[in-house]
Amino acid sequence: MNLEQYDVIAAGTPTWWYTMAPAVRTFLHSQNWNGKTVIPFMTNGGWPGHVIRDMKAACAATACEMQVAFDSEGGSHLEIPEEEIYAWAQRVRALFAEKECVS
């Protein structure tokens, strides 16, 4: 994947032993994020660990971070109100629109 043509990249992961999944960690650490904005988001089933902090440390600039929590008894019940997810999606959409206008 050639990220040179993108200014804003959304990267998401489930919590994997308190941090991001290994494939996401490899991806984030293998890219040049200079001049890019990464939108980090993650899911968890009761404990977010330090996923967002680790994702932010791997990237030059981040915005609009999001943690989506599910219940810890199987993970099928959404714990965060859907309205918060919708509001986050609108902030992300506005960021993409802003970057498109700046380019």
Side-chain angles (χ1 to χ4, degrees), residues 3 14-15 25 28 54-55 71-72 74 76 81 84 88 95 99-100 103:
L3 297 181
T15 302
R25 180 181 24 237
L28 292 180
D54 295 346
M55 292 178 82
D71 69 274
S72 60
S76 62
E84 286 186 38
W88 170 76
L95 180 63
K99 293 290 184 175
E100 287 177 4
S103 298

Side-chain angles (χ1 to χ4, degrees), residues 45-69:
W47 178 248
H50 40 84
V51 175
I52 296 294
R53 182 184 72 206
D54 295 346
M55 292 178 82
K56 291 169 79 171
C59 305
T62 62
C64 301
E65 66 191 54
M66 180 62 159
Q67 295 183 29
V68 178

